[in-house]
């Protein structure tokens, strides 16, 4: 029975921003659990093709689509192509996102808007056009990738925090409107993870590395594979009565206001 609860074999999962990083880690987890992965990115077709090859090396059925998740006409056209060429989208993971590290008093309005467009408006656009099929079928899973910045502020990430905070409330409102169609909308809030992007600062003696290791009760950076279980849970029948919830995968950072136990 427990295996059936987490069974996603044969499901089609669209994961935006899944050519690298945490998006790829979650998509790999879903794919290894049996889902067909629809890989999305917008930087280049070559990057998508390389990512699809990486998935296939792991025995995952994957197909790539290049489109801008913040462009509604591109989203509409590609959702139609995906449903025609791959199948109905059972699981949507709104992962695509950007960050611009600029103090708010110095940030250009256009840069602020661009972060909101990708990190907040695009989950609305993609969900809007995927959910219609889910509503007809009376079944579906939508997972919005939030952040610890959905709950906390930090210097130079004001636009990102505003978008990710808004994404929490968007998730709750999506759940409110769509739950009656047997659609579950939840979020994952990753903490700090060991990725290629964080490699330059994940060295002993680096101030930010020491801060993260010291501030996290688990006393380490997360492994991207740690997100796979959360994605599988929220994409499977095991979460059929979970709606509007944000699951933080952060090693315990948000659990404490003071020094964690490893600093006693």
């Amino acid at each position: 029975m427990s295996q059936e609860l987490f069974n996603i074999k044969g499901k089609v999962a669209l994961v935006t921003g899944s050519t690298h990083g945490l998006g790829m880690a979650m998509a790999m987890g879903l794919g290894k659990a049996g889902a067909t992965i629809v890989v999305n990115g917008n930087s280049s077709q070559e990057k998508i093709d390389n990512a699809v090859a990486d998935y296939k090396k792991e025995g995952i059925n994957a197909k790539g689509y290049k489109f801008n998740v913040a462009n509604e006409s591109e989203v509409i056209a590609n959702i139609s192509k995906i449903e025609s060429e791959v199948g109905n989208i059972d699981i949507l993971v709104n992962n695509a996102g950007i960050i611009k590290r600029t103090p708010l008093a110095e940030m250009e309005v256009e840069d602020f808007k661009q972060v909101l467009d990708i990190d907040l408006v695009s989950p609305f656009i993609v969900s809007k056009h995927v959910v219609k099929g889910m509503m007809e079928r009376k079944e579906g899973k939508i997972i919005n990738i939030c952040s610890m910045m959905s709950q906390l502020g930090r210097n130079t990430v004001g636009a990102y925090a505003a978008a990710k905070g808004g994404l929490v409330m968007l998730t709750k409102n999506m759940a409110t409107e769509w739950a009656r169609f047997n659609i579950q909308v939840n979020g994952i809030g990753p903490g700090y993870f060991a990725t290629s992007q964080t490699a330059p600062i994940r060295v002993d003696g680096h101030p930010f590395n020491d801060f993260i290791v010291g501030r996290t009760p688990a006393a380490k950076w997360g492994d991207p594979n740690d997100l796979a279980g959360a994605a599988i849970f929220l994409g499977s029948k095991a979460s059929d009565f979970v709606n509007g919830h944000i699951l933080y995968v952060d090693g315990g950072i948000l659990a404490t206001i003071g020094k964690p136990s490893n600093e006693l």
Side-chain angles (χ1 to χ4, degrees):
M1 180 179 177
S2 61
Q3 289 183 339
E4 186 59 30
L5 281 174
F6 294 92
N7 182 14
I8 57 171
K9 289 181 180 178
K11 299 293 186 181
V12 174
L14 166 59
V15 184
T16 68
S18 50
T19 60
H20 64 284
L22 299 185
M24 175 173 271
M26 288 182 282
M28 282 283 187
L30 292 169
K32 289 178 181 179
T36 294
I37 301 302
V38 178
V39 182
N40 160 260
N42 192 44
S43 59
S44 71
Q45 187 62 47
E46 180 184 11
K47 191 168 184 179
I48 290 177
D49 293 342
N50 289 339
V52 168
D54 288 339
Y55 286 102
K56 290 184 175 180
K57 286 176 186 175
E58 298 295 326
I60 295 169
N61 186 19
K63 188 165 184 180
Y65 291 82
K66 180 183 179 296
F67 61 95
N68 180 358
V69 291
N71 184 312
E72 187 171 23
S73 61
E74 289 189 28
V75 169
I76 292 171
N78 280 275
I79 293 303
S80 178
K81 285 178 61 178
I82 292 165
E83 291 176 339
S84 174
E85 297 173 0
V86 184
N88 294 326
I89 298 169
D90 303 294
I91 303 166
L92 167 63
V93 182
N94 286 308
N95 168 75
I98 62 171
I99 188 169
K100 290 181 179 289
R101 300 183 184 277
T102 309
L104 285 171
E106 301 170 15
M107 192 169 203
E108 298 294 335
V109 172
E110 289 308 311
D111 288 337
F112 190 93
K113 288 181 177 180
Q114 185 185 19
V115 174
L116 263 65
D117 275 348
I118 300 296
D119 295 0
L120 179 57
V121 179
S122 77
F124 159 70
I125 293 173
V126 180
S127 297
K128 172 186 175 182
H129 294 289
V130 169
V131 80
K132 293 174 182 177
M134 293 178 172
M135 292 167 75
E136 291 176 1
R137 298 188 298 274
K138 299 289 193 295
E139 184 177 33
K141 304 281 186 177
I142 297 175
I143 305 169
N144 293 325
I145 305 307
C146 300
S147 167
M148 288 198 304
M149 298 301 104
S150 298
Q151 296 291 332
L152 300 171
R154 184 168 173 80
N155 289 337
T156 76
V157 296
Y160 181 81
K164 292 299 186 177
L167 189 55
V168 168
M169 292 311 302
L170 181 61
T171 300
K172 292 177 183 292
N173 274 271
M174 287 176 171
T176 299
E177 295 191 19
W178 300 335
R180 65 182 181 275
F181 298 100
N182 190 33
I183 297 166
Q184 291 77 51
V185 187
N186 295 287
I188 295 174
Y192 290 93
F193 281 82
T195 65
S196 58
Q197 291 93 330
T198 61
I201 62 175
R202 282 187 288 106
V203 293
D204 290 342
H206 191 288
F208 195 72
N209 179 73
D210 294 346
F211 169 74
I212 293 302
V213 173
R215 183 67 180 80
T216 306
K220 63 179 182 178
W221 292 74
D223 184 322
N225 293 324
D226 292 335
L227 290 169
I232 293 167
F233 167 62
L234 293 178
S236 68
K237 289 184 65 64
S239 61
D240 276 357
F241 203 57
V242 179
N243 229 336
H245 176 75
I246 312 300
L247 175 55
Y248 289 96
V249 186
D250 66 355
I253 290 179
L254 289 176
T256 177
I257 193 171
K259 292 183 178 180
S261 57
N262 60 295
E263 289 190 1
L264 288 177

